[in-house]
Amino acid sequence: MIVVELMGGLGNQLFQYAIGRSLAFKKKTDLFIDTRFLTSRNVTGQRVVFRNYDLDVFNINPTLVTLDISRRYGTSSSFLNRYGKRLLNHWIKTGTLTYVYERIPFQYDSRIGQVDDNTYLSGYWQSVRYFQSVIKELKSDLCFKKPIPSFANGLAEDIQQQQSVCVHVRRSDFVTNLRHNIIETVYYQQAERMIRTHVTEPAFYVFSDDIDWCRTHLRFDGPTVFVGDEYAGEQAGTYLHLMTLCHHFIIPNSTFSWWAAWLSKHADKVVIVPKNWVYDRGTFIKSDELVYPGWIQL
């Protein structure tokens, strides 16, 4: 069995599912997920943002791990106990599973290549190299469970009939968390100029968790639609579905829109991502582990 611990929002959960799916496929074993830390409302620490299990917007149904395994290996909800428990799991191997935690974010960990069956994974695992070998299987897995709702059909048709550019703006908790490096409006201005060197007559569709801010602060030299919250749908599933229908992408340092771009079926899509992804330990971590050939870092 391969067990992967889920943490964070839908974009993060997708990266965690992807590495688990890849390892389970390679080892010809079953994939289990641990949602206990994700859904806990007793988590302590700075800048805690509670999330829900959101993978069920897709037509997948991974198996939940047993409570015993979750308690033995899963991340503690207490900030003071988290790292102690991690060290305990790493150094004292009294359980049935091998515990592997992510050492450095946004950097491929070569230990994953040696992972065997019966392993518990804890981390965010945000690198395309973790799941390159199962892209076909992932594309098959990550089909939306529900069709675009009828109230959004007109918008979906408009998106598909144009050289649509998905512009995603992430704010909310990023505004007060310096680690996430809020993307400034100048990035979107430069990205529009870059898009125009590749795309004729682009139409811009703006998606955001703060659409009113976008209406006030963003301007594009072309048809622009600000997609309001009424299109979000349950678990923001409709929002994500609409985003995947776009032809091209200007995304911030957001795993949510990263997956929208990845799931887009347009082979000739132009995807622009910020070069600096997060600010960590006094320096910027680049988006190198997240770009594909043809994707543009700006």
Side-chain angles (χ1 to χ4, degrees):
M1 66 188 302
I2 298 293
V3 182
V4 62
E5 184 175 35
L6 298 188
M7 297 180 282
L10 176 55
N12 291 323
Q13 293 172 41
L14 282 167
F15 275 107
Q16 292 150 6
Y17 175 80
I19 189 174
R21 180 72 165 88
S22 175
L23 290 173
F25 182 81
K26 290 177 183 176
K27 302 303 176 183
K28 296 181 173 59
T29 189
D30 295 321
L31 171 63
F32 292 79
I33 59 170
D34 184 356
T35 64
R36 186 164 168 261
F37 179 77
L38 170 69
T39 58
S40 171
R41 294 300 178 261
N42 299 316
V43 178
T44 61
Q46 295 181 339
R47 298 187 297 270
V48 173
V49 178
F50 293 121
R51 304 293 189 181
N52 297 312
Y53 174 72
D54 289 326
L55 290 179
D56 54 358
V57 303
F58 298 102
N59 197 28
I60 56 176
N61 189 30
T63 305
L64 284 175
V65 76
T66 65
L67 184 58
D68 286 345
I69 289 179
S70 179
R71 286 173 173 167
R72 171 66 180 82
Y73 297 97
T75 303
S76 172
S77 61
S78 168
F79 180 76
L80 293 176
N81 293 336
R82 280 175 215 165
Y83 292 102
K85 188 173 182 180
R86 174 179 292 177
L87 291 174
L88 178 69
N89 281 328
H90 180 67
W91 292 109
I92 304 177
K93 301 178 181 179
T94 58
T96 57
L97 304 179
T98 299
Y99 178 82
V100 180
Y101 70 91
E102 184 180 35
R103 290 174 174 171
I104 303 175
F106 304 100
Q107 181 174 314
Y108 177 78
D109 190 332
S110 60
R111 295 177 302 160
I112 295 302
Q114 284 75 52
V115 162
D116 208 342
D117 196 356
N118 296 319
T119 295
Y120 186 104
L121 299 170
S122 178
Y124 289 93
W125 312 108
Q126 293 172 4
S127 169
V128 299
R129 291 195 277 171
Y130 289 129
F131 53 88
Q132 283 294 82
S133 62
V134 291
I135 286 179
K136 180 180 177 182
E137 289 74 19
L138 275 178
K139 294 278 188 182
S140 176
D141 286 355
L142 299 180
C143 296
F144 289 94
K145 183 178 293 185
K146 298 179 180 178
I148 295 286
S150 58
F151 70 85
N153 279 340
L155 178 59
E157 291 175 6
D158 289 344
I159 287 173
Q160 294 176 89
Q161 290 171 1
Q162 303 182 71
Q163 286 291 326
S164 51
V165 181
C166 170
V167 179
H168 185 226
V169 180
R170 174 68 189 276
R171 289 182 59 79
S172 63
D173 57 306
F174 276 26
V175 175
T176 57
N177 187 342
L178 296 179
R179 184 176 188 273
H180 288 293
N181 180 36
I182 280 290
I183 303 301
E184 303 291 345
T185 55
V186 65
Y187 167 79
Y188 293 99
Q189 295 165 357
Q190 293 171 347
E192 179 187 0
R193 291 195 289 270
M194 182 65 70
I195 283 286
R196 290 187 179 279
T197 66
H198 295 84
V199 180
T200 302
E201 298 183 350
F204 299 91
Y205 289 81
V206 182
F207 298 81
S208 177
D209 53 10
D210 192 348
I211 202 68
D212 290 335
W213 183 94
C214 296
R215 290 190 178 103
T216 301
H217 293 89
L218 289 185
R219 292 291 181 272
F220 297 98
D221 185 18
T224 304
V225 176
F226 293 92
V227 184
D229 297 338
E230 65 271 19
Y231 288 99
E234 295 180 12
Q235 301 163 281
T238 303
Y239 232 36
L240 182 62
H241 200 163
L242 289 168
M243 290 166 71
T244 67
L245 299 179
C246 289
H247 205 124
H248 311 287
F249 295 83
I250 298 172
I251 68 172
N253 51 342
S254 163
T255 55
F256 186 83
S257 51
W258 188 95
W259 281 98
W262 191 86
L263 288 167
S264 170
K265 297 179 181 180
H266 293 282
D268 61 342
K269 60 191 171 189
V270 178
V271 180
I272 299 177
V273 303
K275 185 176 295 184
N276 293 329
W277 196 258
V278 295
Y279 189 75
D280 186 64
R281 302 173 190 176
T283 187
F284 282 108
I285 295 179
K286 305 297 183 183
S287 57
D288 298 352
E289 293 286 341
L290 297 172
V291 295
Y292 279 91
W295 289 26
I296 302 169
Q297 290 174 293
L298 185 60

